[in-house]
Amino acid sequence: MSYTIGIDIGSTTSKCILLDSQRIIVAKALVQAGTGTDGPARAYGKVLKEAGLKREDIAYIMSTGYGRASFEEADANMSELSCHAKGVYRTMPDIRTIIDIGGQDAKVIRLNDKGSISNFVMNDKCAAGTGRFLEVMANILQLEVKELESYALRAKEPVKISSTCTVFAESEVISQLSKNVDVSDLIAGICGSVASRVAGLAKRIGIQNQVCMSGGVAKNGGVRGSLERELGTEIFYSEDAQYMGAYGAAIFASEKV
Ligand code: ADP
């Protein structure tokens, strides 16, 4: 049996997937620590342990993500654009537009009917419209980022956040809190702010149905819902959205074997 591994080393998290020779997922791990930390080694160690395997049992390791070049165990590395496209196309072959929002960037990737990338646009210059924006706001609200969704979904009248800059938006949120606005309405506004930034990015290259989200922010139903309204289309989402890059890397690895 030839096993392969895909590891996605992001700015915020490390994701690892181990496939068997039938390309079935044998083990997966997500560690809340990304490049420049021991997160990648921990994610890698976890999948080996879960599968009961050793390094020498693995035929090929492909790394991807922001920190992909720094993982010495890898046999090769590939861009996260290619790996997300591969992972999504394998999981949902009808997808033609991927909206990937990670810890410090956002990308919109268009696929053709063979799953190849036909166009893409990205924001890696500004924290607004990325997971970092949500982390900063969660911190002010003394919440975990994963708690934002349930608040956002309870909102009745989302508060519009008008500052596009994260630093100014932070002051705006603090000022709203001091006015005792409803926290759910405020959080829905925060999710809406991420969605409208990313929708602006998507509109630059145009979207084609079907549309899906990948990356960690896809887990937030508040952002997904706002994006659906902004773009006027349904957004598909898999429970494994955050693993799409690692999954694609593992498939590329298995194609090398
Ligand atoms: P990267 O690959 O850049 O490290 P990820 O795609 O793993 O980033 O996404 C990380 C981001 O996902 C975090 O900044 C956070 O905003 C968001 N996130 C992570 N876990 C959750 C969760 N359980 N619910 C909502 N958002 C989450």
Side-chain angles (χ1 to χ4, degrees), residues 8-15 32 100-105 131-132 134-135 145-146 215-217 219-220 242:
D8 179 3
I9 303 169
S11 60
T12 314
T13 64
S14 304
K15 288 78 60 179
Q32 300 289 346
D100 168 33
I101 316 182
Q104 71 175 26
D105 65 12
R132 183 79 195 120
L134 295 174
E135 286 177 31
V145 81
K146 63 173 181 254
V217 175
K219 285 183 176 165
N220 184 321
Q242 204 169 1

mmCIF file with all atom_site columns, all heavy atoms in Angstrom, residues 8-15 32 100-105 131-132 134-135 145-146 215-217 219-220 242, ligand 1:
data_model
loop_
_atom_site.group_PDB
_atom_site.id
_atom_site.type_symbol
_atom_site.label_atom_id
_atom_site.label_alt_id
_atom_site.label_comp_id
_atom_site.label_asym_id
_atom_site.label_entity_id
_atom_site.label_seq_id
_atom_site.pdbx_PDB_ins_code
_atom_site.Cartn_x
_atom_site.Cartn_y
_atom_site.Cartn_z
_atom_site.occupancy
_atom_site.B_iso_or_equiv
_atom_site.pdbx_formal_charge
_atom_site.auth_seq_id
_atom_site.auth_comp_id
_atom_site.auth_asym_id
_atom_site.auth_atom_id
_atom_site.pdbx_PDB_model_num
ATOM   1   N N   . ASP A 1 8   ? -0.851  21.380 4.515  1.00 0.00 ? 8   ASP A N   1
ATOM   2   C CA  . ASP A 1 8   ? -1.112  22.782 4.173  1.00 0.00 ? 8   ASP A CA  1
ATOM   3   C C   . ASP A 1 8   ? -0.685  23.637 5.369  1.00 0.00 ? 8   ASP A C   1
ATOM   4   O O   . ASP A 1 8   ? -1.323  23.624 6.421  1.00 0.00 ? 8   ASP A O   1
ATOM   5   C CB  . ASP A 1 8   ? -2.614  22.940 3.872  1.00 0.00 ? 8   ASP A CB  1
ATOM   6   C CG  . ASP A 1 8   ? -2.999  24.375 3.529  1.00 0.00 ? 8   ASP A CG  1
ATOM   7   O OD1 . ASP A 1 8   ? -2.108  25.240 3.474  1.00 0.00 ? 8   ASP A OD1 1
ATOM   8   O OD2 . ASP A 1 8   ? -4.205  24.614 3.318  1.00 0.00 ? 8   ASP A OD2 1
ATOM   9   N N   . ILE A 1 9   ? 0.434   24.347 5.187  1.00 0.00 ? 9   ILE A N   1
ATOM   10  C CA  . ILE A 1 9   ? 1.002   25.141 6.278  1.00 0.00 ? 9   ILE A CA  1
ATOM   11  C C   . ILE A 1 9   ? 0.584   26.593 6.074  1.00 0.00 ? 9   ILE A C   1
ATOM   12  O O   . ILE A 1 9   ? 1.146   27.304 5.222  1.00 0.00 ? 9   ILE A O   1
ATOM   13  C CB  . ILE A 1 9   ? 2.534   24.977 6.304  1.00 0.00 ? 9   ILE A CB  1
ATOM   14  C CG1 . ILE A 1 9   ? 2.866   23.469 6.435  1.00 0.00 ? 9   ILE A CG1 1
ATOM   15  C CG2 . ILE A 1 9   ? 3.149   25.805 7.427  1.00 0.00 ? 9   ILE A CG2 1
ATOM   16  C CD1 . ILE A 1 9   ? 4.321   23.134 6.205  1.00 0.00 ? 9   ILE A CD1 1
ATOM   17  N N   . GLY A 1 10  ? -0.442  26.998 6.797  1.00 0.00 ? 10  GLY A N   1
ATOM   18  C CA  . GLY A 1 10  ? -0.980  28.346 6.626  1.00 0.00 ? 10  GLY A CA  1
ATOM   19  C C   . GLY A 1 10  ? -0.345  29.347 7.568  1.00 0.00 ? 10  GLY A C   1
ATOM   20  O O   . GLY A 1 10  ? 0.565   29.024 8.343  1.00 0.00 ? 10  GLY A O   1
ATOM   21  N N   . SER A 1 11  ? -0.858  30.573 7.521  1.00 0.00 ? 11  SER A N   1
ATOM   22  C CA  . SER A 1 11  ? -0.361  31.617 8.408  1.00 0.00 ? 11  SER A CA  1
ATOM   23  C C   . SER A 1 11  ? -0.844  31.376 9.835  1.00 0.00 ? 11  SER A C   1
ATOM   24  O O   . SER A 1 11  ? -0.186  31.762 10.796 1.00 0.00 ? 11  SER A O   1
ATOM   25  C CB  . SER A 1 11  ? -0.882  32.965 7.932  1.00 0.00 ? 11  SER A CB  1
ATOM   26  O OG  . SER A 1 11  ? -2.298  32.956 7.950  1.00 0.00 ? 11  SER A OG  1
ATOM   27  N N   . THR A 1 12  ? -1.983  30.710 9.962  1.00 0.00 ? 12  THR A N   1
ATOM   28  C CA  . THR A 1 12  ? -2.655  30.581 11.253 1.00 0.00 ? 12  THR A CA  1
ATOM   29  C C   . THR A 1 12  ? -2.778  29.133 11.727 1.00 0.00 ? 12  THR A C   1
ATOM   30  O O   . THR A 1 12  ? -2.726  28.872 12.917 1.00 0.00 ? 12  THR A O   1
ATOM   31  C CB  . THR A 1 12  ? -4.078  31.196 11.131 1.00 0.00 ? 12  THR A CB  1
ATOM   32  O OG1 . THR A 1 12  ? -3.959  32.451 10.465 1.00 0.00 ? 12  THR A OG1 1
ATOM   33  C CG2 . THR A 1 12  ? -4.735  31.412 12.470 1.00 0.00 ? 12  THR A CG2 1
ATOM   34  N N   . THR A 1 13  ? -2.971  28.218 10.767 1.00 0.00 ? 13  THR A N   1
ATOM   35  C CA  . THR A 1 13  ? -3.198  26.808 11.133 1.00 0.00 ? 13  THR A CA  1
ATOM   36  C C   . THR A 1 13  ? -2.382  25.890 10.219 1.00 0.00 ? 13  THR A C   1
ATOM   37  O O   . THR A 1 13  ? -1.945  26.299 9.141  1.00 0.00 ? 13  THR A O   1
ATOM   38  C CB  . THR A 1 13  ? -4.693  26.427 10.956 1.00 0.00 ? 13  THR A CB  1
ATOM   39  O OG1 . THR A 1 13  ? -5.016  26.525 9.572  1.00 0.00 ? 13  THR A OG1 1
ATOM   40  C CG2 . THR A 1 13  ? -5.630  27.310 11.756 1.00 0.00 ? 13  THR A CG2 1
ATOM   41  N N   . SER A 1 14  ? -2.220  24.622 10.679 1.00 0.00 ? 14  SER A N   1
ATOM   42  C CA  . SER A 1 14  ? -1.575  23.590 9.854  1.00 0.00 ? 14  SER A CA  1
ATOM   43  C C   . SER A 1 14  ? -2.564  22.452 9.683  1.00 0.00 ? 14  SER A C   1
ATOM   44  O O   . SER A 1 14  ? -3.161  21.999 10.658 1.00 0.00 ? 14  SER A O   1
ATOM   45  C CB  . SER A 1 14  ? -0.314  23.056 10.545 1.00 0.00 ? 14  SER A CB  1
ATOM   46  O OG  . SER A 1 14  ? 0.558   24.124 10.826 1.00 0.00 ? 14  SER A OG  1
ATOM   47  N N   . LYS A 1 15  ? -2.759  22.030 8.431  1.00 0.00 ? 15  LYS A N   1
ATOM   48  C CA  . LYS A 1 15  ? -3.696  20.964 8.141  1.00 0.00 ? 15  LYS A CA  1
ATOM   49  C C   . LYS A 1 15  ? -2.955  19.845 7.423  1.00 0.00 ? 15  LYS A C   1
ATOM   50  O O   . LYS A 1 15  ? -2.132  20.128 6.544  1.00 0.00 ? 15  LYS A O   1
ATOM   51  C CB  . LYS A 1 15  ? -4.815  21.450 7.200  1.00 0.00 ? 15  LYS A CB  1
ATOM   52  C CG  . LYS A 1 15  ? -5.831  22.374 7.795  1.00 0.00 ? 15  LYS A CG  1
ATOM   53  C CD  . LYS A 1 15  ? -5.412  23.804 7.973  1.00 0.00 ? 15  LYS A CD  1
ATOM   54  C CE  . LYS A 1 15  ? -5.014  24.534 6.737  1.00 0.00 ? 15  LYS A CE  1
ATOM   55  N NZ  . LYS A 1 15  ? -4.637  25.955 6.989  1.00 0.00 ? 15  LYS A NZ  1
ATOM   56  N N   . GLN A 1 32  ? -3.945  24.394 15.525 1.00 0.00 ? 32  GLN A N   1
ATOM   57  C CA  . GLN A 1 32  ? -4.158  25.855 15.514 1.00 0.00 ? 32  GLN A CA  1
ATOM   58  C C   . GLN A 1 32  ? -2.827  26.597 15.647 1.00 0.00 ? 32  GLN A C   1
ATOM   59  O O   . GLN A 1 32  ? -2.648  27.413 16.553 1.00 0.00 ? 32  GLN A O   1
ATOM   60  C CB  . GLN A 1 32  ? -5.094  26.277 16.663 1.00 0.00 ? 32  GLN A CB  1
ATOM   61  C CG  . GLN A 1 32  ? -6.475  25.652 16.628 1.00 0.00 ? 32  GLN A CG  1
ATOM   62  C CD  . GLN A 1 32  ? -7.355  26.177 15.497 1.00 0.00 ? 32  GLN A CD  1
ATOM   63  O OE1 . GLN A 1 32  ? -7.049  27.189 14.877 1.00 0.00 ? 32  GLN A OE1 1
ATOM   64  N NE2 . GLN A 1 32  ? -8.432  25.477 15.207 1.00 0.00 ? 32  GLN A NE2 1
ATOM   65  N N   . ASP A 1 100 ? -11.849 31.281 -1.170 1.00 0.00 ? 100 ASP A N   1
ATOM   66  C CA  . ASP A 1 100 ? -11.018 30.716 -0.096 1.00 0.00 ? 100 ASP A CA  1
ATOM   67  C C   . ASP A 1 100 ? -10.606 31.845 0.846  1.00 0.00 ? 100 ASP A C   1
ATOM   68  O O   . ASP A 1 100 ? -9.848  32.728 0.447  1.00 0.00 ? 100 ASP A O   1
ATOM   69  C CB  . ASP A 1 100 ? -9.782  30.052 -0.729 1.00 0.00 ? 100 ASP A CB  1
ATOM   70  C CG  . ASP A 1 100 ? -8.728  29.696 0.304  1.00 0.00 ? 100 ASP A CG  1
ATOM   71  O OD1 . ASP A 1 100 ? -9.095  29.367 1.439  1.00 0.00 ? 100 ASP A OD1 1
ATOM   72  O OD2 . ASP A 1 100 ? -7.520  29.757 -0.034 1.00 0.00 ? 100 ASP A OD2 1
ATOM   73  N N   . ILE A 1 101 ? -11.126 31.824 2.062  1.00 0.00 ? 101 ILE A N   1
ATOM   74  C CA  . ILE A 1 101 ? -10.726 32.866 3.032  1.00 0.00 ? 101 ILE A CA  1
ATOM   75  C C   . ILE A 1 101 ? -9.958  32.199 4.164  1.00 0.00 ? 101 ILE A C   1
ATOM   76  O O   . ILE A 1 101 ? -10.494 31.351 4.889  1.00 0.00 ? 101 ILE A O   1
ATOM   77  C CB  . ILE A 1 101 ? -11.933 33.652 3.598  1.00 0.00 ? 101 ILE A CB  1
ATOM   78  C CG1 . ILE A 1 101 ? -12.928 34.031 2.491  1.00 0.00 ? 101 ILE A CG1 1
ATOM   79  C CG2 . ILE A 1 101 ? -11.438 34.900 4.324  1.00 0.00 ? 101 ILE A CG2 1
ATOM   80  C CD1 . ILE A 1 101 ? -14.125 34.843 2.974  1.00 0.00 ? 101 ILE A CD1 1
ATOM   81  N N   . GLY A 1 102 ? -8.685  32.551 4.280  1.00 0.00 ? 102 GLY A N   1
ATOM   82  C CA  . GLY A 1 102 ? -7.817  31.966 5.295  1.00 0.00 ? 102 GLY A CA  1
ATOM   83  C C   . GLY A 1 102 ? -7.496  32.971 6.385  1.00 0.00 ? 102 GLY A C   1
ATOM   84  O O   . GLY A 1 102 ? -8.193  33.972 6.563  1.00 0.00 ? 102 GLY A O   1
ATOM   85  N N   . GLY A 1 103 ? -6.426  32.677 7.108  1.00 0.00 ? 103 GLY A N   1
ATOM   86  C CA  . GLY A 1 103 ? -6.046  33.495 8.255  1.00 0.00 ? 103 GLY A CA  1
ATOM   87  C C   . GLY A 1 103 ? -5.520  34.861 7.896  1.00 0.00 ? 103 GLY A C   1
ATOM   88  O O   . GLY A 1 103 ? -5.708  35.815 8.643  1.00 0.00 ? 103 GLY A O   1
ATOM   89  N N   . GLN A 1 104 ? -4.847  34.978 6.750  1.00 0.00 ? 104 GLN A N   1
ATOM   90  C CA  . GLN A 1 104 ? -4.353  36.317 6.395  1.00 0.00 ? 104 GLN A CA  1
ATOM   91  C C   . GLN A 1 104 ? -4.460  36.638 4.913  1.00 0.00 ? 104 GLN A C   1
ATOM   92  O O   . GLN A 1 104 ? -3.847  37.593 4.454  1.00 0.00 ? 104 GLN A O   1
ATOM   93  C CB  . GLN A 1 104 ? -2.939  36.561 6.928  1.00 0.00 ? 104 GLN A CB  1
ATOM   94  C CG  . GLN A 1 104 ? -1.832  35.805 6.250  1.00 0.00 ? 104 GLN A CG  1
ATOM   95  C CD  . GLN A 1 104 ? -0.455  36.200 6.753  1.00 0.00 ? 104 GLN A CD  1
ATOM   96  O OE1 . GLN A 1 104 ? -0.296  36.657 7.882  1.00 0.00 ? 104 GLN A OE1 1
ATOM   97  N NE2 . GLN A 1 104 ? 0.566   36.040 5.924  1.00 0.00 ? 104 GLN A NE2 1
ATOM   98  N N   . ASP A 1 105 ? -5.238  35.862 4.192  1.00 0.00 ? 105 ASP A N   1
ATOM   99  C CA  . ASP A 1 105 ? -5.513  36.256 2.813  1.00 0.00 ? 105 ASP A CA  1
ATOM   100 C C   . ASP A 1 105 ? -6.862  35.725 2.350  1.00 0.00 ? 105 ASP A C   1
ATOM   101 O O   . ASP A 1 105 ? -7.493  34.937 3.044  1.00 0.00 ? 105 ASP A O   1
ATOM   102 C CB  . ASP A 1 105 ? -4.372  35.831 1.849  1.00 0.00 ? 105 ASP A CB  1
ATOM   103 C CG  . ASP A 1 105 ? -4.214  34.330 1.743  1.00 0.00 ? 105 ASP A CG  1
ATOM   104 O OD1 . ASP A 1 105 ? -5.097  33.600 2.205  1.00 0.00 ? 105 ASP A OD1 1
ATOM   105 O OD2 . ASP A 1 105 ? -3.204  33.889 1.163  1.00 0.00 ? 105 ASP A OD2 1
ATOM   106 N N   . GLY A 1 131 ? -9.531  36.102 7.714  1.00 0.00 ? 131 GLY A N   1
ATOM   107 C CA  . GLY A 1 131 ? -9.790  35.550 9.040  1.00 0.00 ? 131 GLY A CA  1
ATOM   108 C C   . GLY A 1 131 ? -9.184  36.398 10.151 1.00 0.00 ? 131 GLY A C   1
ATOM   109 O O   . GLY A 1 131 ? -9.693  36.424 11.274 1.00 0.00 ? 131 GLY A O   1
ATOM   110 N N   . ARG A 1 132 ? -8.128  37.099 9.822  1.00 0.00 ? 132 ARG A N   1
ATOM   111 C CA  . ARG A 1 132 ? -7.451  37.951 10.825 1.00 0.00 ? 132 ARG A CA  1
ATOM   112 C C   . ARG A 1 132 ? -8.407  39.022 11.351 1.00 0.00 ? 132 ARG A C   1
ATOM   113 O O   . ARG A 1 132 ? -8.417  39.341 12.537 1.00 0.00 ? 132 ARG A O   1
ATOM   114 C CB  . ARG A 1 132 ? -6.215  38.589 10.172 1.00 0.00 ? 132 ARG A CB  1
ATOM   115 C CG  . ARG A 1 132 ? -5.389  39.426 11.091 1.00 0.00 ? 132 ARG A CG  1
ATOM   116 C CD  . ARG A 1 132 ? -4.480  38.575 11.987 1.00 0.00 ? 132 ARG A CD  1
ATOM   117 N NE  . ARG A 1 132 ? -3.962  39.372 13.074 1.00 0.00 ? 132 ARG A NE  1
ATOM   118 C CZ  . ARG A 1 132 ? -4.148  39.129 14.361 1.00 0.00 ? 132 ARG A CZ  1
ATOM   119 N NH1 . ARG A 1 132 ? -4.828  38.067 14.751 1.00 0.00 ? 132 ARG A NH1 1
ATOM   120 N NH2 . ARG A 1 132 ? -3.651  39.908 15.274 1.00 0.00 ? 132 ARG A NH2 1
ATOM   121 N N   . LEU A 1 134 ? -11.593 38.780 11.659 1.00 0.00 ? 134 LEU A N   1
ATOM   122 C CA  . LEU A 1 134 ? -12.513 38.144 12.613 1.00 0.00 ? 134 LEU A CA  1
ATOM   123 C C   . LEU A 1 134 ? -11.814 37.883 13.943 1.00 0.00 ? 134 LEU A C   1
ATOM   124 O O   . LEU A 1 134 ? -12.411 38.015 15.013 1.00 0.00 ? 134 LEU A O   1
ATOM   125 C CB  . LEU A 1 134 ? -13.040 36.823 12.039 1.00 0.00 ? 134 LEU A CB  1
ATOM   126 C CG  . LEU A 1 134 ? -13.907 36.951 10.785 1.00 0.00 ? 134 LEU A CG  1
ATOM   127 C CD1 . LEU A 1 134 ? -14.245 35.576 10.226 1.00 0.00 ? 134 LEU A CD1 1
ATOM   128 C CD2 . LEU A 1 134 ? -15.192 37.706 11.105 1.00 0.00 ? 134 LEU A CD2 1
ATOM   129 N N   . GLU A 1 135 ? -10.531 37.510 13.870 1.00 0.00 ? 135 GLU A N   1
ATOM   130 C CA  . GLU A 1 135 ? -9.778  37.238 15.106 1.00 0.00 ? 135 GLU A CA  1
ATOM   131 C C   . GLU A 1 135 ? -9.612  38.507 15.941 1.00 0.00 ? 135 GLU A C   1
ATOM   132 O O   . GLU A 1 135 ? -9.774  38.479 17.165 1.00 0.00 ? 135 GLU A O   1
ATOM   133 C CB  . GLU A 1 135 ? -8.414  36.645 14.780 1.00 0.00 ? 135 GLU A CB  1
ATOM   134 C CG  . GLU A 1 135 ? -8.535  35.205 14.335 1.00 0.00 ? 135 GLU A CG  1
ATOM   135 C CD  . GLU A 1 135 ? -7.194  34.606 13.939 1.00 0.00 ? 135 GLU A CD  1
ATOM   136 O OE1 . GLU A 1 135 ? -6.166  35.011 14.496 1.00 0.00 ? 135 GLU A OE1 1
ATOM   137 O OE2 . GLU A 1 135 ? -7.196  33.742 13.063 1.00 0.00 ? 135 GLU A OE2 1
ATOM   138 N N   . VAL A 1 145 ? -13.064 32.818 18.056 1.00 0.00 ? 145 VAL A N   1
ATOM   139 C CA  . VAL A 1 145 ? -13.530 33.078 16.688 1.00 0.00 ? 145 VAL A CA  1
ATOM   140 C C   . VAL A 1 145 ? -14.647 32.103 16.294 1.00 0.00 ? 145 VAL A C   1
ATOM   141 O O   . VAL A 1 145 ? -15.577 32.465 15.567 1.00 0.00 ? 145 VAL A O   1
ATOM   142 C CB  . VAL A 1 145 ? -12.308 33.103 15.733 1.00 0.00 ? 145 VAL A CB  1
ATOM   143 C CG1 . VAL A 1 145 ? -11.842 31.741 15.335 1.00 0.00 ? 145 VAL A CG1 1
ATOM   144 C CG2 . VAL A 1 145 ? -12.549 33.969 14.537 1.00 0.00 ? 145 VAL A CG2 1
ATOM   145 N N   . LYS A 1 146 ? -14.582 30.895 16.831 1.00 0.00 ? 146 LYS A N   1
ATOM   146 C CA  . LYS A 1 146 ? -15.629 29.914 16.474 1.00 0.00 ? 146 LYS A CA  1
ATOM   147 C C   . LYS A 1 146 ? -16.983 30.231 17.118 1.00 0.00 ? 146 LYS A C   1
ATOM   148 O O   . LYS A 1 146 ? -18.005 29.690 16.709 1.00 0.00 ? 146 LYS A O   1
ATOM   149 C CB  . LYS A 1 146 ? -15.189 28.488 16.802 1.00 0.00 ? 146 LYS A CB  1
ATOM   150 C CG  . LYS A 1 146 ? -14.937 28.209 18.255 1.00 0.00 ? 146 LYS A CG  1
ATOM   151 C CD  . LYS A 1 146 ? -14.668 26.712 18.432 1.00 0.00 ? 146 LYS A CD  1
ATOM   152 C CE  . LYS A 1 146 ? -14.440 26.356 19.867 1.00 0.00 ? 146 LYS A CE  1
ATOM   153 N NZ  . LYS A 1 146 ? -13.105 26.071 20.255 1.00 0.00 ? 146 LYS A NZ  1
ATOM   154 N N   . GLY A 1 215 ? -11.236 27.084 3.132  1.00 0.00 ? 215 GLY A N   1
ATOM   155 C CA  . GLY A 1 215 ? -10.501 27.842 4.151  1.00 0.00 ? 215 GLY A CA  1
ATOM   156 C C   . GLY A 1 215 ? -11.291 27.915 5.451  1.00 0.00 ? 215 GLY A C   1
ATOM   157 O O   . GLY A 1 215 ? -12.490 27.598 5.493  1.00 0.00 ? 215 GLY A O   1
ATOM   158 N N   . GLY A 1 216 ? -10.609 28.331 6.507  1.00 0.00 ? 216 GLY A N   1
ATOM   159 C CA  . GLY A 1 216 ? -11.199 28.303 7.851  1.00 0.00 ? 216 GLY A CA  1
ATOM   160 C C   . GLY A 1 216 ? -12.427 29.174 8.025  1.00 0.00 ? 216 GLY A C   1
ATOM   161 O O   . GLY A 1 216 ? -13.352 28.825 8.761  1.00 0.00 ? 216 GLY A O   1
ATOM   162 N N   . VAL A 1 217 ? -12.474 30.321 7.339  1.00 0.00 ? 217 VAL A N   1
ATOM   163 C CA  . VAL A 1 217 ? -13.598 31.246 7.526  1.00 0.00 ? 217 VAL A CA  1
ATOM   164 C C   . VAL A 1 217 ? -14.899 30.644 6.963  1.00 0.00 ? 217 VAL A C   1
ATOM   165 O O   . VAL A 1 217 ? -15.995 31.044 7.372  1.00 0.00 ? 217 VAL A O   1
ATOM   166 C CB  . VAL A 1 217 ? -13.256 32.640 6.932  1.00 0.00 ? 217 VAL A CB  1
ATOM   167 C CG1 . VAL A 1 217 ? -14.442 33.584 7.004  1.00 0.00 ? 217 VAL A CG1 1
ATOM   168 C CG2 . VAL A 1 217 ? -12.061 33.244 7.678  1.00 0.00 ? 217 VAL A CG2 1
ATOM   169 N N   . LYS A 1 219 ? -16.174 28.083 7.820  1.00 0.00 ? 219 LYS A N   1
ATOM   170 C CA  . LYS A 1 219 ? -16.906 27.495 8.954  1.00 0.00 ? 219 LYS A CA  1
ATOM   171 C C   . LYS A 1 219 ? -17.904 28.465 9.565  1.00 0.00 ? 219 LYS A C   1
ATOM   172 O O   . LYS A 1 219 ? -18.749 28.072 10.346 1.00 0.00 ? 219 LYS A O   1
ATOM   173 C CB  . LYS A 1 219 ? -15.915 27.105 10.058 1.00 0.00 ? 219 LYS A CB  1
ATOM   174 C CG  . LYS A 1 219 ? -15.128 25.861 9.749  1.00 0.00 ? 219 LYS A CG  1
ATOM   175 C CD  . LYS A 1 219 ? -14.248 25.559 10.945 1.00 0.00 ? 219 LYS A CD  1
ATOM   176 C CE  . LYS A 1 219 ? -13.496 24.271 10.778 1.00 0.00 ? 219 LYS A CE  1
ATOM   177 N NZ  . LYS A 1 219 ? -12.404 24.187 11.757 1.00 0.00 ? 219 LYS A NZ  1
ATOM   178 N N   . ASN A 1 220 ? -17.748 29.746 9.246  1.00 0.00 ? 220 ASN A N   1
ATOM   179 C CA  . ASN A 1 220 ? -18.598 30.768 9.846  1.00 0.00 ? 220 ASN A CA  1
ATOM   180 C C   . ASN A 1 220 ? -19.830 31.013 8.956  1.00 0.00 ? 220 ASN A C   1
ATOM   181 O O   . ASN A 1 220 ? -19.740 31.628 7.893  1.00 0.00 ? 220 ASN A O   1
ATOM   182 C CB  . ASN A 1 220 ? -17.768 32.055 10.004 1.00 0.00 ? 220 ASN A CB  1
ATOM   183 C CG  . ASN A 1 220 ? -18.523 33.155 10.707 1.00 0.00 ? 220 ASN A CG  1
ATOM   184 O OD1 . ASN A 1 220 ? -19.712 33.340 10.487 1.00 0.00 ? 220 ASN A OD1 1
ATOM   185 N ND2 . ASN A 1 220 ? -17.824 33.887 11.545 1.00 0.00 ? 220 ASN A ND2 1
ATOM   186 N N   . GLN A 1 242 ? -11.829 23.531 5.411  1.00 0.00 ? 242 GLN A N   1
ATOM   187 C CA  . GLN A 1 242 ? -10.513 24.033 5.845  1.00 0.00 ? 242 GLN A CA  1
ATOM   188 C C   . GLN A 1 242 ? -9.384  23.094 5.389  1.00 0.00 ? 242 GLN A C   1
ATOM   189 O O   . GLN A 1 242 ? -8.218  23.481 5.390  1.00 0.00 ? 242 GLN A O   1
ATOM   190 C CB  . GLN A 1 242 ? -10.512 24.185 7.376  1.00 0.00 ? 242 GLN A CB  1
ATOM   191 C CG  . GLN A 1 242 ? -9.497  25.193 7.885  1.00 0.00 ? 242 GLN A CG  1
ATOM   192 C CD  . GLN A 1 242 ? -9.695  25.515 9.356  1.00 0.00 ? 242 GLN A CD  1
ATOM   193 O OE1 . GLN A 1 242 ? -10.594 24.963 9.993  1.00 0.00 ? 242 GLN A OE1 1
ATOM   194 N NE2 . GLN A 1 242 ? -8.874  26.383 9.892  1.00 0.00 ? 242 GLN A NE2 1
HETATM 195 P P1  . ADP B 2 .   ? -4.472  29.650 6.983  1.00 0.00 ? 1   ADP B P1  1
HETATM 196 O O1  . ADP B 2 .   ? -4.427  28.497 5.994  1.00 0.00 ? 1   ADP B O1  1
HETATM 197 O O2  . ADP B 2 .   ? -4.150  30.971 6.381  1.00 0.00 ? 1   ADP B O2  1
HETATM 198 O O3  . ADP B 2 .   ? -3.706  29.367 8.237  1.00 0.00 ? 1   ADP B O3  1
HETATM 199 P P2  . ADP B 2 .   ? -7.215  28.812 7.523  1.00 0.00 ? 1   ADP B P2  1
HETATM 200 O O4  . ADP B 2 .   ? -7.794  28.536 6.166  1.00 0.00 ? 1   ADP B O4  1
HETATM 201 O O5  . ADP B 2 .   ? -6.867  27.620 8.353  1.00 0.00 ? 1   ADP B O5  1
HETATM 202 O O6  . ADP B 2 .   ? -5.983  29.810 7.413  1.00 0.00 ? 1   ADP B O6  1
HETATM 203 O O7  . ADP B 2 .   ? -8.254  29.750 8.305  1.00 0.00 ? 1   ADP B O7  1
HETATM 204 C C1  . ADP B 2 .   ? -7.945  30.343 9.539  1.00 0.00 ? 1   ADP B C1  1
HETATM 205 C C2  . ADP B 2 .   ? -9.055  31.309 9.873  1.00 0.00 ? 1   ADP B C2  1
HETATM 206 O O8  . ADP B 2 .   ? -10.282 30.601 9.945  1.00 0.00 ? 1   ADP B O8  1
HETATM 207 C C3  . ADP B 2 .   ? -8.892  31.963 11.229 1.00 0.00 ? 1   ADP B C3  1
HETATM 208 O O9  . ADP B 2 .   ? -8.262  33.216 11.088 1.00 0.00 ? 1   ADP B O9  1
HETATM 209 C C4  . ADP B 2 .   ? -10.326 32.143 11.731 1.00 0.00 ? 1   ADP B C4  1
HETATM 210 O O10 . ADP B 2 .   ? -10.811 33.431 11.399 1.00 0.00 ? 1   ADP B O10 1
HETATM 211 C C5  . ADP B 2 .   ? -11.130 31.146 10.921 1.00 0.00 ? 1   ADP B C5  1
HETATM 212 N N1  . ADP B 2 .   ? -11.621 29.999 11.710 1.00 0.00 ? 1   ADP B N1  1
HETATM 213 C C6  . ADP B 2 .   ? -10.889 28.966 12.153 1.00 0.00 ? 1   ADP B C6  1
HETATM 214 N N2  . ADP B 2 .   ? -11.645 28.090 12.847 1.00 0.00 ? 1   ADP B N2  1
HETATM 215 C C7  . ADP B 2 .   ? -12.898 28.579 12.825 1.00 0.00 ? 1   ADP B C7  1
HETATM 216 C C8  . ADP B 2 .   ? -14.148 28.133 13.352 1.00 0.00 ? 1   ADP B C8  1
HETATM 217 N N3  . ADP B 2 .   ? -14.260 27.016 14.045 1.00 0.00 ? 1   ADP B N3  1
HETATM 218 N N4  . ADP B 2 .   ? -15.229 28.885 13.130 1.00 0.00 ? 1   ADP B N4  1
HETATM 219 C C9  . ADP B 2 .   ? -15.123 30.025 12.418 1.00 0.00 ? 1   ADP B C9  1
HETATM 220 N N5  . ADP B 2 .   ? -13.969 30.504 11.898 1.00 0.00 ? 1   ADP B N5  1
HETATM 221 C C10 . ADP B 2 .   ? -12.873 29.792 12.085 1.00 0.00 ? 1   ADP B C10 1
#
